[in-house]
Structures are given as C-alpha cells and as structure tokens.
Amino acid sequence: MRHGVDSGLFQQTAHSPSYFELTRKGAGELVDFCIPCNPYFPTPEMFEELSKNLESVLKFYPSDSSQIADQLSKVLGLNPATLAMSNGSTELITWMDHLWIHESVAIPIPTFGRWTDQPMESNKRVDMFLLQESNNFELDIDEYIKFIRTRGSRVAVICNPNNPDGGYLPRREIIRFMDELSDLDLIVIDESFIDFVEVERNPSVAAEASIRPNVVVLKSLGKNFGLHGIRFGYLVANPGLAGKMRKTLPKWNLNSLAETVVFMLAEHEAEYAESLRLLSRDRYRMGMELSRIPDLTVYSSQANFLFVKLGGGMDGRELRDHLLSRHQVFIRECGNKLGMTSKFARLVVRPEQDVERLVEGIRDFTQARWTERPSHSSHHHSNHSGEPSLLMHSA
C-alpha cells in the first residue's frame, strides 16, 4: 500500500516536517521514529485526566509563569530564583542569543540545528567544532577547549547527551569544562535529553550552574515527558541570570495545558521513573535488533534515540521516502544537519512492535535495492568484516 507524500516537504528547512503536516498531506497513520518522544509517558490514565479537564484548561487564562515555575521548582527540588520557564527550549535559545551572545559562539557539530542557525540568523560568528566519525563522534573536552581558545569564542555550548548521536560526557568532564572556561561570557549546557542517561546516577550539572557566574543549563520538558505539543522548557542559572531571563520573557508565555501538566507531575513521579526504565530497556533491544541488519552501523546512545550509519551505498533520503510511502514509518535522515551527510539517520527509541515494523521496512528497502541493482550484490557487507556493527561507546 503506497501513500503519497510530497518529498518536497523535506527540502524546505533544516528540521523535519511536523507529524501534522505529514498526516495532512496524506501519509496515513504514521509510526514516528523522527520526533524524540517518550512513548510511555504520560500514561493513558494521565491523558484521560487531561481530557476530562480539557474544556476548562482551554477556556481559562493560565497563571503567570512565576507561579508555574514555583510549582516546577518544588517538583524538581530547585530554588525558584534559579529557574526561568519558557514556551519550549527553542524560545530560550532565541532569547539567550539576543541577551548573552554578543560576538561569537562555539558549538560541536553535528548538533541540534537551532544552536548553529539562531546565532547565524542574528549575524554572530559561529565557531563549529567538527566531531569526527573516526572517533565515533565522541567529544574530546580538551580538544574542544583548545579550539575555543584558538578561535577566541566568547560563548561555548555543549549538548549532553548530544543530538543526533546520543553521545554522553560524564558529569565530572562537564564540570571540568565549566572550570576551565570560567572567563567566558557564557557557557550553555543543553541537557534536553539528560533524563534518559543511565550510565550515571545524577548526570545533571544544574546545581553547579546555579552557583556559577556564567553557566546556564537548558532543560526540555517536552522531550522527557513525551509532550512536544505542549511547548515547555526551562533554564537553571544563578539568580541574576535566571532573573534577567524571567524579566525578558512575556508574563503569560506558558499555556494552561503546560500549567496543568506541571501540577500533575508531583503525583506521577513513579510513572515517570518507570517510563525511563522501559525506555532504557527498549533502547538496548532496539540497538541489538538494528545491529543485526547488514550495512547498518549503530552508535551507542544515552538519549532516547539511536544514531545509525547506512553502508553499502544506501542513501538516507531514499530510505526515508521508502519507509514513509511503503511502511508509514517516519525517520530523521540527517543530510541537512551541519557536519552530516545523507549516510546518517537518527531513529527514536520505540516499543518492540514498532521496531519490528522499522526493521522490516529497512530490510525490504535493502532487498528492493539489490534486486534492482544485482551488479552490486558482491558489495553487500558491513564494516568490512561481514559482521553487523554495534558501536558501544557511552562517553
């Protein structure tokens, strides 16, 4: 069964088209391996509770963001003076660029597109530190610090875990990075995916950020809680920086749905913890399943997605279009990310039955290619050894 989706939708931007855009354009009922959502949270019961209150949630004005931030700080055990809440973490990236990035910003690439695009759009110099495929895209802190010093960057960003590869740096490395660069205008540690980390118990450096003069930690609630449709994120910084951001943001920048969810969180901490446990189990299983496919290199990840390299002359755009039209599976092909090519894709961690559909789609794609181009069959290999490859690196 074929579904007609215009592949022109993918050419317009450095980000993927939305789920709504694709389904409106006739993609059918999609299995979404593109948008990094938590499939186990909120629970069906929580959604039911939300839908019961939907009328009042949509009808009435939300509280101002300081009241919502007070509640969030109770749930998180943080001082409310160190928080600023926003309508999605990209709102904070935009305002950080306007307020605190004056000349130049260093960022390892590939990474989340707004970190490179936003400062470029406002004519700042973006110093891009290329993560090397030969080093499994791992970030070497000492090399990065050397690069920042050589370029004279005034602001430095690290996404931990990084998007799209899921690479994670231990907390002590991040703290060392902050110590070494205490003279910079600003250091941003984007911890949008930190809740998915399992190799360290308390991976976040939010508490350290709140007592340093030049560090901001960025958090995304949408990614952790599987609620991208409610745009909400927050930052943690010292009270001076956090207060400056709060004054800059509009008073009612959070909607009533975000407020309702923040107030629900306190009662559902156990369900959230369980969702992370299930997700980590699925990440392991999915990594093993994908690594059995010849011509696929799977990188180890501490986020809720897996980064893969397509071998054997496979093209990510062709694979994406095939999966979408033949299998109603939506993936993130990474060709439009800086520092990337169409040989790479990011696949969100999903439950077993969805992964089966993805694997079946990829196998179907490779078979279709070999029947179309039999002369290439002698090159059907993976990692030069004939064995599928699973690269396990966690830092």
Side-chain angles (χ1 to χ4, degrees), residues 44-113:
E45 295 74 28
M46 288 175 76
F47 275 119
E48 208 170 302
E49 198 180 320
L50 273 174
S51 60
K52 272 191 209 134
N53 303 326
L54 194 60
E55 193 177 330
S56 56
V57 166
L58 296 180
K59 257 184 173 342
F60 298 107
Y61 244 104
S63 311
D64 68 52
S65 53
S66 66
Q67 292 198 30
I68 304 171
D70 279 353
Q71 173 63 17
L72 185 67
S73 65
K74 285 189 193 110
V75 176
L76 301 170
L78 291 168
N79 175 345
T82 63
L83 281 189
M85 284 196 77
S86 70
N87 186 30
S89 54
T90 40
E91 181 177 58
L92 288 169
I93 294 172
T94 307
W95 281 109
M96 279 187 226
D97 175 47
H98 291 313
L99 290 173
W100 295 321
I101 302 177
H102 305 299
E103 303 157 30
S104 53
V105 55
I107 176 83
I109 62 165
T111 195
F112 177 53

Side-chain angles (χ1 to χ4, degrees), residues 92-333:
L92 288 169
I93 294 172
T94 307
W95 281 109
M96 279 187 226
D97 175 47
H98 291 313
L99 290 173
W100 295 321
I101 302 177
H102 305 299
E103 303 157 30
S104 53
V105 55
I107 176 83
I109 62 165
T111 195
F112 177 53
R114 288 318 296 161
W115 280 119
T116 49
D117 302 358
Q118 173 61 44
M120 281 198 266
E121 285 160 16
S122 58
N123 298 316
K124 315 287 168 46
R125 190 185 82 222
V126 181
D127 299 328
M128 294 180 231
F129 179 72
L130 186 62
L131 299 173
Q132 301 297 328
E133 184 188 340
S134 57
N135 195 31
N136 298 339
F137 299 97
E138 289 175 27
L139 175 59
D140 179 318
I141 282 288
D142 295 302
E143 287 299 313
Y144 186 34
I145 291 171
K146 210 184 297 175
F147 171 86
I148 290 163
R149 293 303 186 201
T150 309
R151 293 296 172 96
S153 320
R154 295 304 308 149
V155 174
V157 179
I158 287 184
C159 296
N160 196 37
N162 190 38
N163 173 8
D165 55 282
Y168 171 72
L169 285 167
R171 200 167 170 276
R172 62 171 190 280
E173 286 288 272
I174 300 289
I175 290 173
R176 187 163 71 82
F177 180 77
M178 301 189 307
D179 286 340
E180 295 258 350
L181 299 172
S182 56
D183 58 310
L184 261 52
D185 295 345
L186 187 71
I187 295 168
V188 184
I189 310 297
D190 183 341
E191 293 187 344
S192 290
F193 296 98
I194 202 100
D195 282 12
F196 302 112
V197 170
E198 60 166 358
V199 291
E200 242 185 316
R201 250 209 132 113
N202 298 304
S204 176
V205 293
E208 280 70 26
S210 64
I211 54 170
R212 286 169 187 263
N214 69 333
V215 179
V216 166
V217 165
L218 185 66
K219 303 274 200 173
S220 164
L221 290 175
K223 294 180 179 73
N224 307 342
F225 299 141
L227 290 167
H228 286 266
I230 303 176
R231 306 292 305 136
F232 60 174
Y234 65 99
L235 64 74
V236 183
N238 72 62
L241 283 177
K244 191 168 182 188
M245 182 60 80
R246 283 197 302 272
K247 285 189 198 82
T248 304
L249 293 167
K251 196 172 174 61
W252 284 284
N253 68 325
L254 297 173
N255 59 60
S256 304
L257 205 48
E259 176 175 11
T260 309
V261 170
V262 166
F263 276 83
M264 281 173 83
L265 292 177
E267 298 147 37
H268 297 282
E269 283 178 48
E271 291 95 322
Y272 180 55
E274 175 64 3
S275 78
L276 296 177
R277 191 189 67 74
L278 292 170
L279 202 133
S280 142
R281 176 203 68 186
D282 286 353
R283 175 172 59 202
Y284 177 75
R285 279 186 186 162
M286 182 170 160
M288 295 312 280
E289 280 302 308
L290 290 171
S291 68
R292 290 197 185 102
I293 300 174
D295 288 328
L296 212 59
T297 303
V298 181
Y299 292 83
S300 166
S301 165
Q302 283 292 299
N304 62 333
F305 45 79
L306 293 170
F307 186 55
V308 299
K309 183 179 186 191
L310 313 170
M314 263 194 280
D315 177 78
R317 287 163 303 209
E318 285 175 18
L319 174 63
R320 177 200 65 205
D321 294 347
H322 173 92
L323 289 173
L324 197 53
S325 61
R326 301 282 181 88
H327 299 270
Q328 289 76 65
V329 165
F330 180 28
I331 66 166
R332 174 63 160 109
E333 175 271 320

